[in-house]
Amino acid sequence: MVRGRNEQPIVIVGGGIGGFAAALALSRKGFRVQLLEQASRFAEIGAGLQLGPNVFRMFDELEVTDAVKGLAVFPEHLIMMDCITAQEVTRIPLGQAFLDRFGQPYAVIHRADLHQVLVNACRQQRLIDLETSTKVASFEDTGDGVRAVTDKGQTFHGSALIGADGVWSTIRSQLVGDGKPRVSGHIAYRAVLPTREMPERLRWRSMTIWAGEKTHLVHYPLRVGELFNLVAVFHSDRFTEGWDAFGDVQELHERFAGTCEQVRTLLQKIESWRMWVLCDRAPIKEWSRGRVTLLGDAAHPMLQYLAQGANLAIEDAVCLADQLDREDGDFAAAARAYQNLRYLRTGRMQIMARLYGEVYHASGVVREVRNHVLGERTPEQAYESMAWI
């Protein structure tokens, strides 16, 4: 057995970006970790992620910045277009002025690439054990440790447990017991398009959102410009629990029928879309009890309109590891400190993500006000509006 600061490992449930970030952060503080993933292999479903300056500071702490930068694309601008008129609403430069203001860049990356960076870094850590095909069904805090039981009856013992198992978290259901996530009525369709199939006139090296009425389309380049990530979102009363089903292309085109030619052209380029139902929860103040805590979407699931879900999960991981280091391995004390440091920030992000969704999907006079207000901003004013993020 490899010995760390804890005789028994900290058990992490969930092998996504948040789970692996937590494993890496904890191991770098000298703590043993056992990560349990229900799937048969470590992989991420999805396409693009946006990376803000806040998460680049976390990458520095985790010592993975160079690996991430080698796989990321650094857009030139954040652009909002009006989905109906095809007019530009606002453009925020992401070059030197942005770097001067925030000290770190803004980037986009394929979700699978970021996940693999974290997996590779964890595999180099002798304090981390990784298990696949292991679905945790329940847990028990025994006072001096934790016991996690799988759906097949296998038992794992640890010094503490972290639920990093996403928006439909099994650990949260037992720890918090607040039912299912809130289904927002917003549906997201995602696809990845080879750049050669992207209309040349729309091959912008920018993170671009086409904001419409109860719809929007996002596109930006991935993998050094080899691919384009496309995400189309619309309001619908149809939904499937979960988030990786094939979408109804007919409904997609019906919802975007009133949009401009550029948007409809992009949608027609994709023959097969994957769909997910956007869900979140109201913010809570407490997601820790004893030797058990939550992280990422299990703790504070949010709509994707601020593009901060993965970023916040990585922030959580670094914060929790810092608190456990400060408390010299007292997990219960560290978990309380961690949630107290995080809940206002994550709660604000959950609330504001809902609000941004309304702004992106505005109609009538509200849409015109949005375009006017955002169109009048200077780059410096735009930077200040996002500084809290």
Side-chain angles (χ1 to χ4, degrees), residues 3 18 20 122 178 188 202 205 277 279 291 301 358 384:
R3 294 194 176 275
F20 271 98
C122 284
D178 55 351
L202 295 172
R205 192 178 175 86
V277 178
C279 301
R291 293 174 175 269
E358 296 302 315
E384 291 312 307

Side-chain angles (χ1 to χ4, degrees), residues 357-378:
E358 296 302 315
V359 171
Y360 292 163
H361 295 167
S363 59
V365 174
V366 178
R367 170 173 152 259
E368 292 186 45
V369 170
R370 176 200 68 198
N371 292 357
H372 176 71
V373 171
L374 295 182
E376 296 242 310
R377 291 191 310 182
T378 66

Side-chain angles (χ1 to χ4, degrees), residues 178-208:
D178 55 351
K180 294 181 178 181
R182 182 192 75 114
V183 175
S184 68
H186 299 188
I187 308 293
Y189 281 46
R190 54 184 168 76
V192 175
L193 187 67
T195 297
R196 66 180 180 276
E197 296 179 19
M198 186 79 170
E200 189 170 355
R201 61 195 167 100
L202 295 172
R203 293 179 194 173
W204 303 341
R205 192 178 175 86
S206 294
M207 202 302 297
T208 305

Side-chain angles (χ1 to χ4, degrees), residues 133-358:
S133 302
T134 306
K135 183 177 181 179
V136 173
S138 64
F139 68 86
E140 180 184 2
D141 185 335
T142 62
D144 59 351
V146 295
R147 181 166 58 243
V149 181
T150 73
D151 59 346
K152 298 176 182 177
Q154 188 177 7
T155 300
F156 291 86
H157 297 274
S159 59
L161 185 143
I162 300 170
D165 49 341
V167 66
W168 298 93
S169 170
T170 298
I171 305 305
R172 180 177 179 130
S173 67
Q174 183 177 337
L175 184 69
V176 181
D178 55 351
K180 294 181 178 181
R182 182 192 75 114
V183 175
S184 68
H186 299 188
I187 308 293
Y189 281 46
R190 54 184 168 76
V192 175
L193 187 67
T195 297
R196 66 180 180 276
E197 296 179 19
M198 186 79 170
E200 189 170 355
R201 61 195 167 100
L202 295 172
R203 293 179 194 173
W204 303 341
R205 192 178 175 86
S206 294
M207 202 302 297
T208 305
I209 177 170
W210 297 78
E213 297 183 346
K214 296 187 177 181
T215 59
H216 79 265
L217 174 70
V218 169
H219 61 77
Y220 52 79
L222 292 174
R223 290 188 174 160
V224 201
E226 294 177 358
L227 302 172
F228 262 82
N229 184 56
L230 277 76
V231 181
V233 178
F234 56 86
H235 294 200
S236 176
D237 55 6
R238 297 174 56 189
F239 68 91
T240 303
E241 290 187 4
W243 65 287
D244 193 44
F246 281 105
D248 182 342
V249 176
Q250 181 178 348
E251 183 185 17
L252 173 69
H253 289 295
E254 287 174 357
R255 300 288 180 170
F256 280 85
T259 61
C260 63
E261 176 271 332
Q262 294 93 324
V263 168
R264 287 182 283 109
T265 295
L266 288 175
L267 296 180
Q268 290 165 2
K269 289 288 183 180
I270 305 294
E271 295 181 358
S272 178
W273 296 79
R274 303 295 285 186
M275 179 195 81
W276 81 97
V277 178
L278 303 183
C279 301
D280 70 350
R281 292 183 184 272
I284 59 172
K285 187 172 183 177
E286 297 183 0
W287 60 69
S288 303
R289 186 170 69 239
R291 293 174 175 269
V292 182
T293 193
L294 303 174
L295 181 149
D297 282 348
H300 42 73
M302 64 194 66
L303 302 182
Q304 93 290 11
Y305 296 112
L306 290 176
Q308 281 289 320
N311 295 351
L312 290 191
I314 297 170
E315 285 184 15
D316 286 350
V318 172
C319 180
L320 179 57
D322 284 347
Q323 296 312 304
L324 193 59
D325 182 45
R326 186 169 287 112
E327 297 290 345
D328 197 25
D330 183 339
F331 193 91
R336 287 194 301 272
Y338 147 72
Q339 72 177 15
N340 289 339
L341 286 168
R342 296 295 293 160
Y343 81 90
L344 287 176
R345 173 167 172 76
T346 58
R348 182 179 182 182
M349 210 73 80
Q350 288 173 285
I351 294 166
M352 292 303 291
R354 290 184 181 183
L355 177 60
Y356 271 57
E358 296 302 315

Side-chain angles (χ1 to χ4, degrees), residues 1-9 27 30-33 125-129:
M1 180 182 71
V2 177
R3 294 194 176 275
R5 293 170 65 176
N6 48 332
E7 186 172 338
Q8 286 192 313
S27 69
F31 295 100
R32 288 183 58 218
V33 174
Q125 297 294 313
R126 61 186 182 86
L127 293 175
I128 301 175
D129 291 324

